[in-house]
Amino acid sequence: MEINLAGIRQEYTKSGLRECELPNDPLLLFSRWLQEAIDAEVNEPTAVIVGSVSAEGKPSTRTVLLKGLHDGKFIFYTNYESRKGKQLAHNPFISLSFVWHELERQVHIEGIATKVPQEESDKYFRKRPYKSRIGARISPQSQPIKSRMQLIRAFVKEAARWIGKEVERPENWGGYAVTPTRIEFWQGRPNRLHDRFLYTLNSDGKWEISRRAP
Ligand SMILES: Cc1cc2nc3c(=O)[nH]c(=O)nc-3n(C[C@H](O)[C@H](O)[C@H](O)COP(=O)(O)O)c2cc1C
């Protein structure tokens, strides 16, 4: 069956982004857009596509959830021994892409990922639901496993070990903080004449803004 993909297209008419609206600090605009995505009840407003690069220079992506925005850094949590974790240990350059289709908006961020302090990971880990904490302890994220049953057995066994105790964060699980050096805001407009504004961090630590062609 052939699907008519060429015929699927939408006009983007919801909004515009004007130069006079741009704050000096892109984090302010990002926070505003994120809040607007939450208020608009888009599906998974904090979902972000993380790009990392292997030792051989091959890129790969996956979705995670943004769990914090502190001191101008984007925070997410994962397994440090996962595929992305190993790639980031080798090469800390990272990209983050938020896409809010309902608002016809995307934000692309590039920067450097560093592990958050262990106490910060502990603090967030304690806030996770009990079963998610057990799951994080037993899942060898990104590794081959024999069956779903193997996972469930490990989960049940681990859950039994922690009854009545505070489930500890495993050492291989924690946060990354992404310090941005480049942030692009994209707002869809009619006739594919979209608004794109790029913030780049210059050597004085100041953000420079330029409009980019769509
Ligand atoms: C909506 C959504 C949210 C997700 N959130 C996370 C997350 O916060 N942390 C995480 O490690 N994986 C999360 N995942 C799973 C990842 O996309 C991915 O499968 C996993 O991290 C392993 O990726 P890797 O093998 O490339 O390291 C999420 C998936 C989806 C679809």
Side-chain angles (χ1 to χ4, degrees), residues 44 47 62-65 77-79 82-84 141-142:
E44 299 280 28
R62 74 290 292 157
T63 309
V64 302
L65 297 178
Y77 288 86
T78 192
N79 186 310
S82 63
R83 185 174 185 223
K84 72 183 101 41
Q141 193 177 59
S142 316

Side-chain angles (χ1 to χ4, degrees), residues 124-138:
Y124 172 66
F125 191 74
R126 283 195 289 270
K127 289 188 191 153
R128 301 184 85 213
Y130 170 78
K131 289 180 181 171
S132 303
R133 282 182 271 160
I134 299 291
R137 289 191 62 85
I138 60 96

Side-chain angles (χ1 to χ4, degrees), residues 47 71 82 150 163 166 181-182 189:
D71 302 330
S82 63
Q150 175 188 333
I163 286 173
E166 181 74 29
T181 53
R182 189 182 201 276
R189 299 294 302 269

Side-chain angles (χ1 to χ4, degrees), residues 52-63:
S52 56
V53 177
S54 74
E56 299 78 41
K58 294 181 183 165
S60 62
T61 58
R62 74 290 292 157
T63 309

Side-chain angles (χ1 to χ4, degrees), residues 1-138:
M1 187 186 73
E2 197 175 327
I3 306 173
N4 175 14
L5 299 178
I8 298 178
R9 51 178 58 244
Q10 279 184 30
E11 272 297 303
Y12 302 131
T13 57
K14 289 217 157 78
S15 191
L17 182 60
R18 289 177 303 167
E19 205 149 358
C20 62
E21 292 175 58
L22 301 174
N24 292 332
D25 181 356
L27 274 304
L28 290 177
L29 182 55
F30 179 82
S31 300
R32 200 179 89 205
W33 276 24
L34 179 60
Q35 189 59 54
E36 286 173 6
I38 295 166
D39 294 345
E41 299 185 356
V42 310
N43 195 24
E44 299 280 28
T46 61
V48 51
I49 299 159
V50 172
S52 56
V53 177
S54 74
E56 299 78 41
K58 294 181 183 165
S60 62
T61 58
R62 74 290 292 157
T63 309
V64 302
L65 297 178
L66 185 74
K67 289 294 172 186
L69 200 54
H70 304 145
D71 302 330
K73 295 179 183 154
F74 297 79
I75 316 286
F76 70 90
Y77 288 86
T78 192
N79 186 310
Y80 290 139
E81 289 164 4
S82 63
R83 185 174 185 223
K84 72 183 101 41
K86 286 180 179 157
Q87 292 183 348
L88 290 170
H90 192 268
N91 178 351
F93 286 95
I94 191 167
S95 70
L96 303 176
S97 288
F98 293 84
V99 187
W100 298 301
H101 292 289
E102 294 90 334
L103 300 177
E104 300 168 351
R105 283 177 175 168
Q106 54 176 347
V107 179
H108 299 298
I109 296 151
E110 292 174 27
I112 304 282
T114 50
K115 288 182 182 175
V116 306
Q118 295 197 17
E119 314 78 67
E120 211 176 304
S121 291
D122 286 336
K123 204 165 141 195
Y124 172 66
F125 191 74
R126 283 195 289 270
K127 289 188 191 153
R128 301 184 85 213
Y130 170 78
K131 289 180 181 171
S132 303
R133 282 182 271 160
I134 299 291
R137 289 191 62 85
I138 60 96

